[in-house]
Amino acid sequence: MELAKRVAALTPSATLAITSKAKALREEGHDVIGLGAGEPDFNTPEHILSAAKQAMDEGHTKYTPSGGLPRLKAAIVAKLQQDQKLTYEQDEVIVTTGAKHALYTLFQVLLNKGDEVIIPAPYWVSYPEQVKLAEGEPVFVHTDETTGFKLTPDILEHKITDQTKAVIINSPSNPTGAMYTKEELQALGDVCLRHNVLIVSDEIYEKLVYGEVVHTSIAELSAELKKQTIIINGLSKSHSMTGWRIGYAVGDRRIIKAMTSLASHSTSNPTSVAQYAAIAAYEGSQEPVDVMKKAFSERLDETYKALVAIPGVACVKPTGAFYLYPNVKQAAEQCGFSNVDAWVEALLDEEKVAVVPGSGFGTPDYIRLSYATSMDNLHEAVARMARFVEKHRQ
């Protein structure tokens, strides 16, 4: 039986091969340190766990409205008002089975065959695949250290065509941890308004920012930009709820209505118990978020200093998320490897350190390291990387 062409066009996940190999090595008894995690290493906060148990005990285990519980929508509306001074109505919110499902559903209702979506590279691996599944065309825009891994208005303007439907802005970014300033967002927003391009603002890492920087949503800059923006967010990263699968999209009620209709024929509704847990996450204490953020900040500072001391490794220090995204092309060349993917594979074979090659994010000279693991693991992993480079350097 022949499979659908849309599936055949998908690119395998960049993390799949390295994760599979790391797992096999662990099963053989090797001491593998994995730095590929895309989730916090903290458990979900206790008050959220308690709320989920209470929901189960009270029988809240049935279907809910497809777009989410009204009380959870109200909590999301209140969160946006408090954090970004943005005012939305509940019919401008859809709760989804994770932020990934929000993005997938958005592209399904937004794109027609051949519509283009501008995606700055490095990009989160699922963006282009979701666009392709909706029969759209991903249009990649290369960014690097010279722009702080950020899209510029001139480049955006140059890439827009008559087929451009949307642009994705991920701030803070996965995989780079880069974050746009208010001025940078305004400049990009002006271009989108001139060309009537929808802004898909992925803000899933908004709570994990470090130093003096402040997260800004492009939707809060003006009424016009709010109307032109769909915000994507969720509780996976901010409240360590990756497995609960609660995300949401906020914006134009016509788009949200279409997304809700599609969701009613795909997932029916997000998991009921997880929605009650999400209500507790937003209505309850935010202290666990601050504790987690503090730990990530400390890990970032220590790991970054040790990482950039390795010969041939260059890295822009991120201001958000929980990833480091160093350029290791020079290190790979000095070690005699033809490309970074081969260097990554050898690092796992010889030193049992698993990192994600940047080729999966559209930039093959880089690697992604997650510091969502213990400080001891981070110290040991970077020490092994330094030893690996020293051993192979020519």
Side-chain angles (χ1 to χ4, degrees), residues 180-215:
Y180 290 87
T181 66
K182 186 179 295 186
E183 293 74 21
E184 289 166 340
L185 289 172
Q186 183 67 63
L188 293 172
D190 289 343
V191 175
C192 293
L193 289 172
R194 275 202 305 276
H195 295 277
N196 193 29
V197 172
L198 185 73
I199 301 161
V200 180
S201 183
D202 184 347
E203 302 177 13
I204 193 71
Y205 292 96
E206 60 146 336
K207 293 294 185 182
L208 300 177
V209 298
Y210 314 111
E212 301 301 316
V213 296
V214 177
H215 175 266

Side-chain angles (χ1 to χ4, degrees), residues 33-280:
I33 300 176
L35 301 182
E39 59 183 349
D41 56 316
F42 295 80
N43 194 16
T44 304
E46 188 61 39
H47 70 282
I48 300 174
L49 299 176
S50 297
K53 183 179 184 304
Q54 182 179 344
M56 287 186 281
D57 290 341
E58 293 177 355
H60 298 305
T61 56
K62 311 299 182 185
Y63 291 126
T64 76
S66 291
L69 290 166
R71 184 176 166 190
L72 178 51
K73 287 189 176 187
I76 292 167
V77 167
K79 178 259 178 228
L80 290 162
Q81 178 62 50
Q82 179 177 318
D83 290 353
Q84 279 95 18
K85 302 298 183 288
L86 286 166
T87 301
Y88 289 97
E89 301 297 329
Q90 288 195 27
D91 63 353
E92 296 174 294
V93 179
I94 176 175
V95 183
T96 56
T97 311
K100 181 182 285 189
H101 182 238
L103 285 161
Y104 176 85
T105 307
L106 172 63
F107 292 131
Q108 288 293 322
V109 305
L110 184 69
L111 301 180
N112 291 309
K113 187 177 179 63
D115 284 344
E116 295 175 352
V117 178
I118 296 174
I119 304 174
Y123 47 75
W124 179 52
V125 295
S126 291
Y127 291 148
E129 307 312 312
Q130 292 187 348
V131 169
K132 287 189 288 186
L133 282 168
E135 296 191 289
E137 298 290 335
V139 176
F140 300 115
V141 180
H142 181 75
T143 69
D144 56 27
E145 294 91 340
T146 61
T147 62
F149 294 111
K150 290 183 275 192
L151 181 63
T152 65
D154 289 343
I155 295 175
L156 174 60
E157 186 106 42
H158 178 71
K159 284 290 183 178
I160 291 174
T161 71
D162 291 342
Q163 284 73 49
T164 303
K165 199 73 169 282
V167 59
I168 298 174
I169 296 176
N170 180 205
S171 178
S173 159
N174 175 9
T176 68
M179 190 162 64
Y180 290 87
T181 66
K182 186 179 295 186
E183 293 74 21
E184 289 166 340
L185 289 172
Q186 183 67 63
L188 293 172
D190 289 343
V191 175
C192 293
L193 289 172
R194 275 202 305 276
H195 295 277
N196 193 29
V197 172
L198 185 73
I199 301 161
V200 180
S201 183
D202 184 347
E203 302 177 13
I204 193 71
Y205 292 96
E206 60 146 336
K207 293 294 185 182
L208 300 177
V209 298
Y210 314 111
E212 301 301 316
V213 296
V214 177
H215 175 266
T216 300
S217 170
I218 194 168
E220 67 186 86
L221 299 182
S222 70
E224 292 77 18
L225 282 171
K226 179 185 174 221
K227 184 179 179 182
Q228 198 77 6
T229 300
I230 299 291
I231 294 175
I232 304 293
N233 209 330
L235 293 104
S236 291
K237 317 300 182 179
S238 60
H239 292 76
S240 197
M241 294 178 68
T242 50
W244 298 80
R245 310 311 303 134
I246 294 293
Y248 53 89
V250 184
D252 183 287
R253 55 175 45 90
R254 189 169 60 96
I255 295 175
I256 298 301
K257 182 179 180 181
M259 292 175 67
T260 304
S261 179
L262 178 57
S264 73
H265 293 291
S266 55
T267 57
S268 289
N269 59 266
T271 301
S272 61
V273 172
Q275 290 188 67
Y276 283 96
I279 291 168

